[in-house]
Amino acid sequence: MTNLEARPTEQVCVAGPAADVELVEPRDVPLGGPRAMTVRRTLPSRARSLIGPFCFADHYGPDDVAATGGMDVPPHPHTGLQTVTWLFEGAVLHRDALGSEQTITPGQLNLMTAGRGICHSEESTPATFPDRPVLHGVQLWTALPESARHGDRAFEHVADVPRLTVDGAVLQVFLGRLGDVESPARAYSPLVAAQVDVPAGTRVRLPVDPSFEHGVLVDSGALRFEGHDVDPAWLAYAPPGRDVLVLEAGDRPVRAVLLGGTPFEEPVLMWWNFVGRTHDEVVEARAQWQATIAGDAAGLGRYGEVHGYDGPALPAPELPNVRLRPRDRAR
């Protein structure tokens, strides 16, 4: 999914210390137009910009596709990241510059590695999926480490992710490793991402890697995480050092997404759909995307083009009239 904010601000993402559980409030971000779907964004935020290598988290739905028009995101670029698509309801059609054309439904993973550059489109509209009237899920990004961020682009689809059960809770591990269960999708940093379903009235002691920091994004139900109440759409963060996470559901079942990884020590500068390290990198990435739209050979060599989408590519917003630079923020 693209970041469709008309005036995206730079986010310099750094791993920062935390003494105890932090609660991150979501902010609403419309995906364009008066009837468009709105997402709830918790990463990046003023409170926290990274959990392991996870640098972006959007939570959307349940969205009435007939009322809003659903998701219709034209071809747009990415650099320096992986996009992670996970659904609770509905379906999304992904097309990219590699020639991939893949529908994803709940219980499946779409993972796109941008490397130096790629473009893709995403569709979930009444015309695309007339039998799927509701769209509901999460879109995550992971920042690629220096060793991989200039590499080749790639796309993976996992049709059936591995599962495990802990204290009655069912976990679908769609990226990384949790205990003895590991997703077959390729990860470039030590990490985990899993859907967690906790039955009503259940207390779960989940063994985790103590070198990881963790976040839990609540989709539905009232969760108590490490002794803190977490409302739906909020993100709870726990720093490294715990080898067990305690999750408790009240009188309703809880559905949440667990994120984690070793603290990402490289600075990450995010602007629009580009993840880089410096102002000049972002300026170059934007200029080459604009050149790609115009049919420039060098730009097409970097990002490629999407075939099959009915419509033009998405132009990049204007850059601010100042250098993109680190800004003071809570860490």
Side-chain angles (χ1 to χ4, degrees):
M1 184 183 297
T2 184
N3 178 4
L4 288 178
E5 290 180 290
R7 294 182 176 83
T9 57
E10 74 272 25
Q11 299 279 346
V12 176
C13 304
V14 291
D20 197 8
V21 171
E22 298 174 359
L23 299 181
V24 180
E25 183 176 8
R27 62 187 178 95
D28 288 345
V29 179
L31 288 187
R35 296 173 61 245
M37 185 175 71
T38 295
V39 301
R40 298 170 292 277
R41 186 163 297 162
T42 46
L43 290 180
S45 70
R46 293 186 180 276
R48 178 145 302 274
S49 55
L50 288 166
I51 298 177
F54 291 96
C55 58
F56 183 93
D58 273 358
H59 173 220
Y60 52 88
D63 181 67
D64 181 349
V65 172
T68 66
M71 178 190 297
D72 187 357
V73 184
H76 59 279
H78 288 291
T79 64
L81 56 79
Q82 287 183 300
T83 64
V84 184
T85 304
W86 181 257
L87 297 180
F88 306 129
E89 296 177 85
V92 174
L93 174 62
H94 163 100
R95 292 186 176 99
D96 65 37
L98 290 163
S100 312
E101 185 170 324
Q102 179 65 60
T103 295
I104 180 175
T105 57
Q108 303 177 343
L109 169 71
N110 273 4
L111 179 69
M112 186 180 74
T113 302
R116 183 170 179 268
I118 195 171
C119 61
H120 73 138
S121 64
E122 294 159 293
E123 297 172 76
S124 182
T125 67
T128 312
F129 300 108
D131 59 340
R132 300 255 182 183
V134 176
L135 182 62
H136 189 186
V138 294
Q139 177 77 53
L140 312 170
W141 297 354
T142 68
L144 290 172
E146 188 66 29
S147 60
R149 72 187 188 95
H150 301 291
D152 294 335
R153 49 188 178 237
F155 176 78
E156 300 171 62
H157 174 76
V158 180
D160 188 16
V161 306
R163 299 178 175 224
L164 74 158
T165 301
V166 179
D167 294 341
V170 177
L171 296 100
Q172 300 177 69
V173 182
F174 54 88
L175 191 61
R177 171 182 286 273
L178 187 62
D180 295 330
V181 172
E182 185 171 12
S183 167
R186 183 169 183 180
Y188 291 86
S189 302
L191 56 75
V192 64
Q195 179 176 321
V196 185
D197 288 277
V198 184
T202 300
R203 185 174 189 266
V204 180
R205 290 179 53 83
L206 180 64
V208 293
D209 188 328
S211 69
F212 282 17
E213 53 186 353
H214 290 91
V216 175
L217 175 61
V218 178
D219 173 61
S220 60
L223 174 69
R224 191 163 178 81
F225 173 71
E226 291 290 290
H228 297 260
D229 293 326
V230 189
D231 291 331
W234 283 62
L235 175 72
Y237 168 85
R242 290 168 166 83
D243 57 9
V244 170
L245 297 176
V246 180
L247 300 90
E248 301 172 81
D251 58 2
R252 291 179 296 147
V254 166
R255 178 165 61 195
V257 174
L258 172 73
L259 308 176
T262 55
F264 196 79
E265 301 297 342
E266 300 176 29
V268 175
L269 176 59
M270 294 174 54
W271 181 83
W272 195 46
N273 295 305
F274 306 124
V275 172
R277 299 294 185 270
T278 67
H279 169 90
D280 292 338
E281 280 186 28
V282 171
V283 170
E284 180 185 25
R286 181 193 180 278
Q288 289 192 332
W289 173 245
Q290 294 300 97
T292 302
I293 294 175
D296 175 77
L300 288 166
R302 179 170 187 176
Y303 293 109
E305 59 184 323
V306 174
H307 297 284
Y309 179 82
D310 184 16
L314 187 69
E318 293 295 328
L319 283 158
N321 294 321
V322 295
R323 287 186 66 84
L324 304 179
R325 60 180 178 83
R327 61 181 184 173
D328 294 335
R329 55 178 298 282
R331 293 178 57 183

